Amino acid sequence: MSVRIGYGLGTAAARTPDASRFGALVGALERHGFDSLWLSERIGGDVVDPVVGLAFAAALTTRLKLGFSVMVLPGRNPALVAKELASLDCLSGGRLLPAFGLGAPNPREHQAFGLEPAQRAAWLEEALPLLRRFWSEGRVDHDGARFQFHDVEVRPKPLGRMEVWLGGAGDRQLDRVGRLANGWLGSFNTPDEAGTGRRAIEDSARRSGREIDPGHFGTIVLYTPQRLDDAAVDTLMLRRRGRPRVDVEDVVAQGDDALVPLLQRYVDSGITKFVLMPLHDPSDWDEELGALAQAVAPMQGAPVGAPAA
């Protein structure tokens, strides 16, 4: 397995969609050798819809992989999602990295998906296997609690492997990754928590007679060139959603010299795929990403051995 470093925008409302500025970001990512671009979903934020944004990015690039961080699956029809994402994968030449989640715990946004929060997990568990079937099989028959399909075929079939990743941090979510997913994209975990999460997922996979590729464990890493004040730290800690409070240095790289040491701590815990997300709004994407690429260049693509047990 090897280290791969991608980049994402997160859900910061300040990053309003703008074709020129977004195009500059995408071009700089490809030019400076980043592995991938990841876009998040937030209906109530000014961030671009991830499917639309990744389609835009696909048209501007030839190498950059394209991922969701993450796309909300509960509330969506799996046949239509399968069609949409297979189409995007074909048009991008097989570069799509589908990653799904339950969605943010925001009752206002859940109205758009037509679901009560308590219904999300069961919906995902039924829909996710159907996505795989629509991508790999001909006509599909299914009679489930939420979906009934008879002789339904989704075309075109994707060009890429369409290995599905899931987010999540709780025990049930980690167990679901082990049972259903091909990889894990964690968020706002400390390196120790990420390592514990990886082991929990591997245990779940073994119980289900499955195996997760050891190179398919990743995390989102926040960074900023300056130290955060107390108010900013308190706001960030709300993202941990009930998990224990930790030192901000364990989840955010503050300052130019903090990122690589933090990434190395994750690597030592068995995490090798990274999505870097800025807490600031860079004025020049080429300058920002050029400097960032130079800092992480020794890690990008570097082979990694198995983590310590």
Side-chain angles (χ1 to χ4, degrees):
M1 57 186 180
S2 60
V3 173
R4 300 292 181 191
I5 299 175
Y7 201 82
L9 290 183
T11 57
R15 296 174 190 127
T16 304
D18 174 89
S20 176
R21 183 161 168 74
F22 185 66
L25 162 68
V26 171
L29 288 172
E30 176 119 323
R31 187 162 52 253
H32 293 294
F34 282 85
D35 178 71
S36 48
L37 167 65
W38 299 75
L39 297 182
S40 302
E41 180 165 34
R42 182 58 52 83
I43 292 174
D46 284 330
V47 292
V48 68
D49 175 84
V51 175
V52 173
L54 293 181
F56 185 98
L60 297 178
T61 58
T62 59
R63 180 197 55 79
L64 195 69
K65 298 172 189 170
L66 310 163
F68 305 113
S69 59
V70 290
M71 182 182 187
V72 179
L73 184 56
R76 287 186 159 110
N77 184 299
L80 299 181
V81 172
K83 171 72 175 184
E84 180 180 41
L85 300 192
S87 299
L88 177 53
D89 186 69
C90 287
L91 291 175
S92 68
R95 290 184 280 150
L96 189 63
L97 302 172
F100 301 104
L102 298 179
N106 184 328
R108 294 190 300 275
E109 292 210 358
H110 286 310
Q111 295 176 69
F113 296 99
L115 285 180
E116 295 294 329
Q119 299 175 317
R120 296 178 300 162
W123 186 293
L124 187 147
E125 297 230 0
E126 186 175 348
L128 188 56
L130 279 167
L131 287 180
R132 286 202 175 95
R133 293 186 63 192
F134 286 130
W135 286 331
S136 63
E137 300 179 14
R139 293 180 173 86
V140 171
D141 292 310
H142 174 82
D143 185 12
R146 288 155 192 82
F147 310 109
Q148 291 77 44
F149 296 108
H150 174 65
D151 207 29
V152 174
E153 183 175 17
V154 172
R155 299 187 66 85
K157 300 302 183 188
L159 296 179
R161 292 179 294 181
M162 300 295 273
E163 294 177 323
V164 173
W165 291 43
L166 292 176
D171 292 342
R172 291 182 180 179
Q173 293 171 315
L174 297 176
D175 176 69
R176 185 180 300 117
V177 177
R179 290 186 291 107
L180 297 177
N182 301 106
W184 177 48
L185 182 64
S187 176
F188 223 56
N189 297 305
T190 70
D192 287 343
E193 289 172 336
T196 299
R198 171 179 171 148
R199 291 189 291 274
I201 291 167
E202 291 176 323
D203 288 343
S204 172
R206 280 192 289 269
R207 291 193 298 269
S208 300
R210 305 179 69 240
E211 184 177 356
I212 306 292
D213 187 315
H216 284 190
F217 292 89
T219 191
I220 294 169
V221 178
L222 306 176
Y223 79 96
T224 177
Q226 298 177 343
R227 293 196 64 83
L228 302 171
D229 59 29
D230 291 343
V233 171
D234 289 342
T235 299
L236 277 174
M237 287 303 167
L238 295 176
R239 301 189 190 186
R240 285 179 56 85
R241 299 172 188 167
R243 287 179 277 173
R245 189 178 179 93
V246 296
D247 291 337
V248 68
E249 290 83 2
D250 288 333
V251 290
V252 179
Q254 302 177 86
D256 296 337
D257 298 329
L259 180 58
V260 170
L262 181 58
L263 293 181
Q264 187 59 54
R265 290 175 60 197
Y266 282 109
V267 170
D268 293 341
S269 294
I271 307 300
T272 60
K273 302 300 181 282
F274 299 102
V275 178
L276 307 183
M277 287 187 179
L279 288 176
H280 57 296
D281 199 14
S283 59
D284 185 309
W285 279 119
D286 191 65
E287 180 180 338
E288 174 80 11
L289 295 175
L292 197 60
Q294 185 175 6
V296 301
M299 303 187 74
Q300 180 80 279
V304 180

